[in-house]
Amino acid sequence: MHATDTRSPGADAPQRRAAAPRASELEAATARVLTEGGDARIALSSAGVNRYGCAPRPDARLIAFGSCTASVVSAPAFAAATALHSRLRAHPGHYRDEIERLRHELRVLSGAADVPGTQVVLGASGTDLHLFAAHLAARDRGAPLQAVMAQAAETGSGVAAALSALHFGSHTCQGERVVAGAPVAAASLRAPAGVRLRDADGSVRDADAVDAEFTTHAQRIVRSGGRCLLVLTDVSKTGLLAPSPACALRLRAAFGDRLDVLVDACQFRIAPATLRGYLAHGFMVAITGSKFITGPAFSGALLLPPELAERASTLPLQALRGYSTLPDWPRRWPAAAALDDAANPGLLLRWEAALTELHRFRAVPPAAIEAFLIDWGRAVAERIAQDPCFAALPVPPLRRATSPSDGGWDHLQTIFPFVVRRVGAGGRSRPLSADETALLYRRLQASDLAPPPRASEPPARGLRVQLGQPVPCGPRDGVPVSALRICASARWVADAAGSPHGTGHAVRQAMRAFDRLALLAQQLDGDFDAAACGTPRDASMAA
């Protein structure tokens, strides 16, 4: 027989009121920790956003198609990070156990677990991972290492410095103040050789010519007595893959242990079959949870294939103390004992948020992923092609070793770069300059410039939209220009899979983003013809 509850209906109200502030305080603390354990790029400005324009809390009113740069954390991901933060507060001694759990989940979800012996090294950012890879590849100090990489505009501003073992900022992720451009260790490595992927006008260079240039650099380095770190970018800021995997395999076969391959997959726009293939060939793979997966900025992982991991486990790591700690490296990694045994809860919470998104994405069948990317991508490409306010930057098909029959979806385009154009009253048009595009990019997502729409205003007015940051793409009409990027992401795919009309909603949101962009571009110049730009009928109905 159950006892009767004689409390009045409001008897537990004080407990509920006390719990609410505790939850609020925990969420505020979680948001703060999400901005720690990285470098200055994730520090918050006076407006409460990081250098990428992202706040550390969910923002349901932002239309986010900028995953090639960064994303605002989603509500489910923030809840997962908050729950983990609560556990760490209650049991701070469990940090290493949580890191190992995360490492295991990442290995399984990425596909790396299917290559037994693969090891996972955590890092604050993709740039940090390039530094780690260069450090491990430079194992033979008698043979100077030089990297060969895609042009910096297609990768990252600090990548060349990291591959040269130079500090790439004024602060490390461990909070150490450093001098940008100074050697991380006693001596720097040779500056990497860069290969252009696009011509001056933004057109794509011939793929065979690009492979040939990578090959020439690698041959020069090895034949002169050095060691080569070949960086295979998969994919670049504007959706390119270079050099081809076939080229990397040929060079690895030709030069053996005089050449290592690092796959820069920091966009993480690759299917498990592709990642497994890279690891099986002995390539290092750098990934992040903050691009396609849409976790908070600054969550990286360097996947080391079995043979390389075993060989590298005893290499000295003291030079990386400003960028890494003992728990970032696998257990029983002998050389990691030289690093500080310190926690980086910010990195852990950011990866927890990213894994929440990755779990959701991996639950979607590959056929459904492919269907979404085809339908959404077609609608976006048609809008860019049909609207005179936009001009596409070409993106060729990706030359991968895997195929759709392998369960892969990553042969499909997910990054769509384009240049914004002004259309004059007489039908004349010109591209926006790089400075104008940068201003447009900032205004597009700025809350103080996007008041809620009134009933009498066009639907595009008042929207806040996040696209990929402008990427320089050469001069047009004698003026330097940049391309904005609209991207599909794991979050859009998972959200669409959970609704019968999810793909149609994602398409409509993309069209609204284009409408908003055209409207703001109009405000940059009074001669802009608003009537010439707008949603083409077919694109607006696409689903």
Side-chain angles (χ1 to χ4, degrees):
M1 188 173 180
H2 297 287
T4 301
D5 189 349
T6 59
R7 293 178 299 170
S8 64
D12 60 349
Q15 288 86 344
R16 288 199 302 271
R17 286 195 297 270
R22 286 198 297 270
S24 177
E25 187 275 333
L26 178 61
E27 290 177 357
T30 299
R32 184 173 61 253
V33 173
L34 287 174
T35 68
E36 298 173 347
D39 60 40
R41 289 173 285 177
I42 56 170
L44 298 185
S45 68
S46 58
V49 297
N50 61 27
R51 191 172 296 180
Y52 308 114
C54 296
R57 288 176 179 263
D59 186 351
R61 294 181 60 189
L62 181 70
I63 299 179
F65 286 112
S67 61
C68 56
T69 295
S71 300
V72 174
V73 63
S74 71
F78 185 76
T82 302
L84 175 54
H85 190 199
S86 178
R87 296 200 303 272
L88 289 175
R89 281 181 154 192
H91 305 285
H94 290 184
Y95 175 83
R96 188 64 189 259
D97 293 335
E98 295 286 2
I99 279 282
E100 293 304 320
R101 171 191 60 81
L102 184 150
R103 206 187 307 272
H104 171 74
E105 289 185 20
L106 181 57
R107 199 162 30 228
V108 171
L109 290 170
S110 68
D114 295 329
V115 182
T118 297
Q119 299 294 339
V120 179
V121 179
L122 300 178
S125 73
T127 315
D128 294 68
L129 302 181
H130 282 76
L131 173 64
F132 297 174
H135 183 83
L136 297 179
R139 57 186 180 273
D140 182 359
R141 303 301 171 180
L145 179 78
Q146 185 177 19
V148 186
M149 60 176 283
Q151 64 194 103
E154 290 285 350
T155 54
S157 59
V159 168
L163 291 173
S164 305
L166 301 176
H167 293 295
F168 46 84
S170 59
H171 292 80
T172 72
C173 62
Q174 298 301 314
E176 180 182 337
R177 185 181 292 275
V178 295
V179 177
V184 171
S188 61
L189 306 176
R190 290 181 176 177
V195 177
R196 289 186 301 106
L197 306 188
R198 295 185 182 273
D199 287 322
D201 62 356
S203 60
V204 180
R205 290 185 66 199
D206 177 74
D208 290 336
V210 170
D211 278 357
E213 190 171 341
F214 272 97
T215 299
T216 298
H217 282 301
Q219 291 172 339
R220 171 185 54 78
I221 293 167
V222 175
R223 290 172 181 173
S224 65
R227 303 195 69 260
C228 178
L229 176 60
L230 185 76
V231 183
L232 191 165
T233 303
D234 183 353
V235 292
S236 74
K237 287 183 176 182
T238 63
L240 305 180
L241 189 158
S244 68
C247 174
L249 286 171
R250 286 195 300 268
L251 291 172
R252 185 65 186 274
F255 297 123
D257 64 2
R258 304 292 288 183
L259 182 143
D260 284 314
V261 178
L262 167 65
V263 179
D264 178 358
C266 288
Q267 287 282 339
F268 208 176
R269 297 175 188 272
I270 59 175
T274 300
L275 187 141
R276 287 194 296 268
Y278 285 140
L279 290 171
H281 289 304
F283 297 174
M284 295 180 278
V285 183
I287 60 176
T288 73
S290 58
K291 298 296 193 292
F292 180 72
I293 304 304
T294 73
F298 274 65
S299 52
L302 181 63
L303 308 180
L304 302 177
E307 289 186 12
L308 189 150
E310 183 176 358
R311 185 174 66 239
S313 63
T314 58
L315 295 177
L317 298 179
Q318 290 94 326
L320 301 180
R321 291 186 66 177
Y323 294 90
S324 190
T325 63
L326 174 65
D328 295 337
W329 296 75
R331 288 189 188 273
R332 296 178 296 279
W333 190 278
L339 302 175
D340 294 334
D341 189 1
N344 186 343
L347 176 60
L348 176 59
L349 295 192
R350 290 189 291 272
W351 260 121
E352 181 75 358
L355 287 181
T356 301
E357 304 287 1
L358 187 53
H359 272 288
R360 294 181 64 227
F361 179 65
R362 291 289 185 248
V364 181
I369 297 173
E370 187 168 1
F372 173 89
L373 294 178
I374 289 173
D375 291 345
W376 185 87
R378 182 187 297 119
V380 166
E382 288 177 356
R383 174 64 187 267
I384 295 172
Q386 295 173 16
D387 195 323
C389 289
F390 310 118
L393 206 62
V395 178
L398 298 171
R399 299 197 298 174
R400 295 192 184 280
T402 54
S403 67
S405 62
D406 298 316
W409 44 266
D410 52 5
H411 60 289
L412 297 169
Q413 183 178 353
T414 58
I415 299 176
F416 294 79
F418 60 94
V419 174
V420 182
R421 300 187 64 87
R422 279 202 183 91
V423 180
R428 297 184 305 274
S429 68
R430 73 166 182 86
L432 297 186
S433 70
D435 289 342
E436 290 169 324
T437 303
L439 176 60
L440 190 62
Y441 168 79
R442 293 192 297 271
R443 287 186 175 178
L444 194 61
Q445 61 185 333
S447 58
D448 58 337
L449 296 173
R454 296 188 295 270
S456 60
E457 292 180 325
R461 192 176 300 278
L463 291 180
R464 293 172 49 244
V465 179
Q466 190 172 58
L467 299 180
Q469 283 181 332
V471 176
C473 55
R476 304 284 175 90
D477 302 332
V479 177
V481 300
S482 295
L484 294 174
R485 297 163 290 160
I486 184 168
C487 312
S489 68
R491 190 188 304 179
W492 279 109
V493 172
D495 287 348
S499 166
H501 307 293
T503 300
H505 172 71
V507 168
R508 288 189 294 274
Q509 292 294 79
M511 297 307 113
R512 295 178 74 204
F514 281 121
D515 292 344
R516 177 65 175 162
L517 184 59
L519 186 64
L520 285 175
Q522 173 191 352
Q523 297 171 0
L524 292 179
D525 190 334
D527 188 44
F528 185 87
D529 186 358
C533 304
T535 307
R537 192 173 306 162
D538 293 341
S540 66
M541 299 301 291

